Amino acid sequence: MNHFDTILIANRGEIAVRVIKTAKQMGYETVAVFSEADREALHVSLADKAIGIGESDVEKSYLNIDKIIAAALKTNAQAIHPGYGFLSESAEFAQRCEEANLVFIGPDSKAMAIMGNKTVARHKMLEANVPLVPGYDGPSQDNPTLQKEANRVGYPLMVKAAAGGGGRGIRIVKDPQHLITELEAARAEALSSFGSDELLLEKYIEKARHIEIQVFADQLGNTVYLGERDCSMQRRHQKVIEEAPAPNMDATLRKKMGDAAVKAAEAVNYIGAGTVEFLLCVDQSFYFLEMNTRLQVEHPVTELITGLDLVEWQLSVAAGEPLALQQDEIELKGHAIEVRLYAEDCECDFMPQTGRIRQWKMPVATGIRVDNGIVNEQIISPYYDSMLAKIIAYGATRELAIRRLTRALKDTVLLGLPSNKTFLLGLLQDHTFMNAEATTRYIEEQYLPAQQKQAAQGPGDSMWAIAAILLSRMPGTTGWRSTGTLSWPVRLKYQQQQRDVTVFQDGSAYRVEYSDDEIQNILILAESDGELLLQINGICCKLNVALDERHTVYIDNRSQVAMFEKLSFSEKQNQDTLGANLIAPMSGKIAEVKVIKGDTVNKGDVLVVLESMKMYQELMAQQEGLVTGVYIKPNQQVEVNMPLIDIVTSEQANDE
């Protein structure tokens, strides 16, 4: 038995909050760690103790093993829970905890090292007769060898970082001519993200579903599986929606996959919570992908259908206790679905966003759970992952869970920076998802292309009208009076769209007129704490709003969230020049500069690669032109809206 009464949580955000709550319920003392950026974060205030571990940069705080172990010893913690992300799958961290006589709440360093390297894991699974995707995982890493093996495996195929995870270091290659380029790109990303440029090749299986099995093992040799999760709704190999149990999964297939997952865990003498991921083919055959040696982001859906607290199981197993249930005692009831709420701009290639949260309201309803670590007025920094919260719904049936989650997401309010709320609502109401027919490539290959035309249309007239009213009421705005009614001209911008409107006010009644003679009549019935009760063209409705000091308004009408800027009438309206120059869309670090002054670029050319929130963003030219200024260099930190590259359009260059 391992005795401990104080647990340090070596993580942040919603997972730190999640672990702290269960640890307290079990009677443990909790210690939070925090970087400079997280000094006032929610997880810090919830823990019994908190200790700073360094600068905001993850390398100097949450990824610094020495500082975390020193923090545990200084606060008299006897155990460390790694959460997920950061050091949660670091075999070195687990080993260092063992050497410091600290209980690592997870598998031992040996099992973690085996499963943490995809190549080594494949070899181990082959020995254990766990089905593998055809591929190449040999020691030779030179391009000629990989090209030869790629031809043997066949196209399309996946290039994967052997030490990778989280969807990074992966490239899909459909054309042999592109293989070398993708190999070099995958190597660079793998080395930057994981410290290793080792690659492996796998056959790319089209129209596959991503099914993962939750396994648990104690220190006494007992291993069970707790059902499966379907994580097929993905974008860029990262999960967007997760649900349990998997739709169209019968008992026979569940047992086959569950037994294979247990076999995989037992092959490395696994202890604690783990997830074995598989690709499920149309013919019901399945292949091992990898094993995540930690708790998963999507663990709440498993908890809801099993009625179990997986963090409680983790702490009990780490203490040396046997599993609370045997395999035949585990029951799956009902259906649970989870969506991940991100700070990202879905209309600008899902670019992560930073800024201050102006309004945050969680849904409260039967069957709804929210895991989050954020508060109002919190600043979302560029240093960490952009996931802010998870909204989870449970119901007796999948249909009920979808309805509950859809309403809960509509009731969720996150204003102050762009989020993926509108995108998630669209997915939940998509026929392919509702019919449980989605595969791992569905979002990128079918859903998003179909949505592009609709997204280009932008918000409806009433949203523009409400934005004009709210921005016209900001301090410093003055109107002119005609026949007793105040009137203001307002110029608005949404994404790359601009619109001029005129706002007329008579008390709480407003009339908004557009240049195309469209008229919106709006009556403000009540307003409180950012919530407005309006009558729009005779129909009453509620919506949430937030304004910031930059003359920007955020509007959430439950089904759609939009951000509008107020422009000066002195600003140019020429759509051809909008976006010619490149500015930083978020704070971050310059990873690569691909042009120099004097270069000619075409629309779509990559100019700069920006690293922010653990993601690499390629910033592209919006039109053809000549580079006249480059203001940044690799490894330089930049702030949002900072000028990066100046481009003169071809016409302007000719004029000069």
Side-chain angles (χ1 to χ4, degrees):
M1 299 290 285
N2 296 319
H3 175 75
F4 55 88
D5 54 39
T6 302
I7 303 170
L8 181 141
I9 296 91
N11 219 294
R12 64 178 299 279
E14 57 92 12
I15 181 55
V17 171
R18 165 76 187 88
V19 175
I20 288 170
K21 288 180 177 179
T22 289
K24 283 185 172 183
Q25 290 171 2
M26 296 180 69
Y28 290 107
E29 294 290 308
T30 59
V31 179
V33 294
F34 62 89
S35 68
E36 285 297 324
D38 281 341
R39 184 173 292 275
E40 298 181 4
L42 181 59
H43 75 279
V44 175
S45 63
L46 289 180
D48 300 301
K49 297 178 184 177
I51 181 169
I53 53 171
E55 300 175 30
S56 302
D57 191 314
V58 293
E59 300 290 342
K60 299 176 180 178
S61 53
Y62 296 108
L63 290 179
N64 191 306
I65 295 175
D66 290 335
K67 288 184 177 179
I68 291 175
I69 289 180
L73 297 176
K74 187 174 182 179
T75 56
N76 296 317
Q78 303 95 19
I80 291 182
H81 193 301
Y84 44 70
F86 295 138
L87 294 170
S88 63
E89 292 184 282
S90 167
E92 180 189 356
F93 183 43
Q95 183 175 352
R96 291 282 302 278
C97 288
E98 294 162 10
E99 293 170 352
N101 293 319
L102 294 167
V103 176
F104 181 81
I105 301 174
D108 63 28
S109 57
K110 294 179 181 179
M112 191 176 290
I114 292 172
M115 287 303 193
N117 185 294
K118 290 181 172 60
T119 298
V120 177
R122 279 178 59 90
H123 294 167
K124 203 70 176 179
M125 295 304 100
L126 188 62
E127 294 174 7
N129 291 319
V130 176
L132 291 174
V133 178
Y136 171 75
D137 51 26
S140 298
Q141 291 285 301
D142 57 278
N143 284 349
T145 297
L146 293 178
Q147 194 161 35
K148 177 182 177 182
E149 292 298 327
N151 292 334
R152 178 184 63 80
V153 173
Y155 294 85
L157 58 79
M158 295 184 76
V159 177
K160 302 176 73 172
R168 294 186 295 279
I170 293 179
R171 296 291 189 278
I172 296 176
V173 185
K174 297 185 177 181
D175 188 334
Q177 294 182 347
H178 298 153
L179 178 65
I180 301 301
T181 300
E182 298 296 0
L183 286 174
E184 296 300 336
R187 281 194 185 101
E189 187 174 3
L191 187 62
S192 173
S193 299
F194 312 111
S196 169
D197 62 359
E198 182 183 355
L199 302 176
L200 60 87
L201 306 177
E202 286 183 354
K203 178 69 177 176
Y204 176 59
I205 300 175
E206 300 184 87
K207 296 183 178 179
R209 293 167 63 192
H210 184 118
I211 304 295
E212 58 187 35
I213 309 293
Q214 177 73 63
V215 295
F216 239 102
D218 61 25
Q219 299 180 40
L220 306 176
N222 302 305
T223 307
V224 299
Y225 62 92
L226 305 177
E228 78 288 340
R229 299 184 286 257
D230 189 322
C231 304
S232 301
M233 294 291 280
Q234 300 180 9
R235 189 188 61 81
R236 294 176 182 167
H237 312 295
Q238 294 199 336
K239 300 161 189 174
V240 178
I241 300 177
E242 303 104 353
E243 58 183 309
N248 307 316
M249 173 73 70
D250 60 38
T252 301
L253 181 58
R254 175 175 294 120
K255 187 176 188 309
K256 284 183 180 179
M257 298 186 76
D259 289 344
V262 168
K263 191 184 299 183
E266 291 177 339
V268 295
N269 299 315
Y270 196 82
I271 296 173
T275 301
V276 184
E277 303 192 349
F278 295 98
L279 281 180
L280 178 61
C281 304
V282 176
D283 63 2
Q284 303 295 284
S285 61
F286 58 90
Y287 299 100
F288 172 86
L289 277 179
E290 63 181 344
M291 183 177 187
N292 291 301
T293 55
R294 53 174 167 79
L295 200 66
Q296 292 278 92
V297 176
E298 57 272 23
H299 76 273
V301 295
T302 296
E303 292 185 321
L304 289 173
I305 66 166
T306 60
L308 304 172
D309 184 326
L310 299 192
V311 174
E312 180 181 342
W313 273 41
Q314 282 189 300
L315 302 186
S316 297
V317 166
E321 298 174 11
L323 294 178
L325 298 173
Q326 297 301 310
Q327 190 65 63
D328 58 2
E329 297 176 303
I330 296 167
E331 296 184 55
L332 309 183
K333 296 181 180 179
H335 202 93
I337 307 177
E338 172 184 298
V339 292
R340 306 180 182 196
L341 190 64
Y342 281 92
E344 60 185 11
D345 191 338
C346 300
E347 297 187 27
C348 291
D349 198 28
F350 296 87
M351 196 168 289
Q353 299 295 299
T354 60
R356 186 183 297 275
I357 296 176
R358 303 288 177 172
Q359 189 176 163
W360 165 240
K361 294 181 181 179
M362 294 185 290
V364 179
T366 300
I368 298 302
R369 166 177 165 176
V370 180
D371 284 12
N372 80 101
I374 56 177
V375 294
N376 276 314
E377 298 303 317
Q378 178 176 334
I379 295 176
I380 304 305
S381 76
Y383 299 104
Y384 315 118
D385 189 89
S386 59
M387 188 182 78
L388 302 183
K390 302 180 305 194
I391 318 297
I392 312 107
Y394 174 81
T397 64
R398 184 173 188 265
E399 292 73 20
L400 177 56
I402 291 175
R403 284 201 307 272
R404 283 178 169 172
L405 184 54
T406 301
R407 180 173 180 86
L409 197 53
K410 287 182 177 180
D411 291 342
T412 299
V413 179
L414 177 66
L415 298 177
L417 68 173
S419 78
N420 65 335
K421 171 180 169 175
T422 303
F423 171 67
L424 292 173
L425 280 170
L427 288 177
L428 289 176
Q429 297 169 73
D430 177 71
H431 288 297
T432 297
F433 169 72
M434 295 180 73
N435 293 332
E437 297 172 347
T439 60
T440 55
R441 297 292 296 170
Y442 170 69
I443 290 179
E444 289 174 297
E445 294 182 351
Q446 298 180 56
Y447 180 80
L448 286 177
Q451 294 296 309
Q452 285 179 348
K453 183 176 180 180
Q454 179 178 342
Q457 296 173 355
D461 288 340
S462 62
M463 292 278 271
W464 286 90
I466 294 164
I469 292 170
L470 294 172
L471 289 170
S472 70
R473 301 195 307 171
M474 293 187 72
T477 304
T478 57
W480 52 273
R481 188 175 296 276
S482 174
T483 63
T485 300
L486 284 173
S487 177
W488 296 269
V490 182
R491 173 166 290 168
L492 299 174
K493 180 183 177 183
Y494 169 81
Q495 300 289 350
Q496 296 301 316
Q497 301 178 36
Q498 287 188 11
R499 202 166 184 180
D500 290 344
V501 304
T502 304
V503 178
F504 298 88
Q505 179 189 7
D506 186 359
S508 59
Y510 294 83
R511 186 176 79 256
V512 180
E513 296 184 356
Y514 306 94
S515 57
D516 56 5
D517 296 328
E518 176 72 26
I519 296 175
Q520 295 282 316
N521 292 298
I522 297 176
L523 179 65
I524 299 180
L525 302 175
E527 51 185 314
S528 175
D529 296 327
E531 184 174 281
L532 298 182
L533 177 61
L534 305 175
Q535 186 183 83
I536 303 175
N537 297 330
I539 300 175
C540 293
C541 64
K542 291 181 181 179
L543 50 80
N544 286 272
V545 301
L547 293 94
D548 63 27
E549 64 280 356
R550 298 174 300 172
H551 285 217
T552 301
V553 62
Y554 305 84
I555 303 175
D556 184 340
N557 68 359
R558 300 187 74 243
S559 296
Q560 184 180 30
V561 183
M563 178 183 75
F564 297 87
E565 298 175 63
K566 181 181 179 183
L567 300 180
S568 164
F569 277 88
S570 63
E571 296 187 47
K572 294 181 179 180
Q573 281 200 83
N574 186 351
Q575 297 292 327
D576 293 334
T577 62
L578 281 176
N581 295 334
L582 186 67
I583 62 173
M586 71 193 86
S587 302
K589 183 172 71 174
I590 301 298
E592 189 177 359
V593 181
K594 291 182 172 289
V595 294
I596 61 175
K597 185 176 179 179
D599 283 352
T600 298
V601 297
N602 297 313
K603 182 177 181 180
D605 286 352
V606 177
L607 307 179
V608 175
V609 180
L610 179 65
E611 181 182 357
S612 182
M613 294 181 173
K614 302 196 298 181
M615 297 289 289
Y616 288 86
Q617 301 292 330
E618 294 183 336
L619 308 183
M620 295 176 286
Q622 298 304 302
Q623 60 190 57
E624 180 183 354
L626 180 71
V627 176
T628 59
V630 178
Y631 306 113
I632 35 85
K633 57 185 178 182
N635 297 318
Q636 179 180 342
Q637 289 287 338
V638 297
E639 298 298 324
V640 63
N641 292 328
M642 177 177 170
L644 306 179
I645 306 285
D646 276 351
I647 298 176
V648 173
T649 61
S650 301
E651 293 78 6
Q652 292 171 320
N654 292 333
D655 291 342
E656 295 177 359

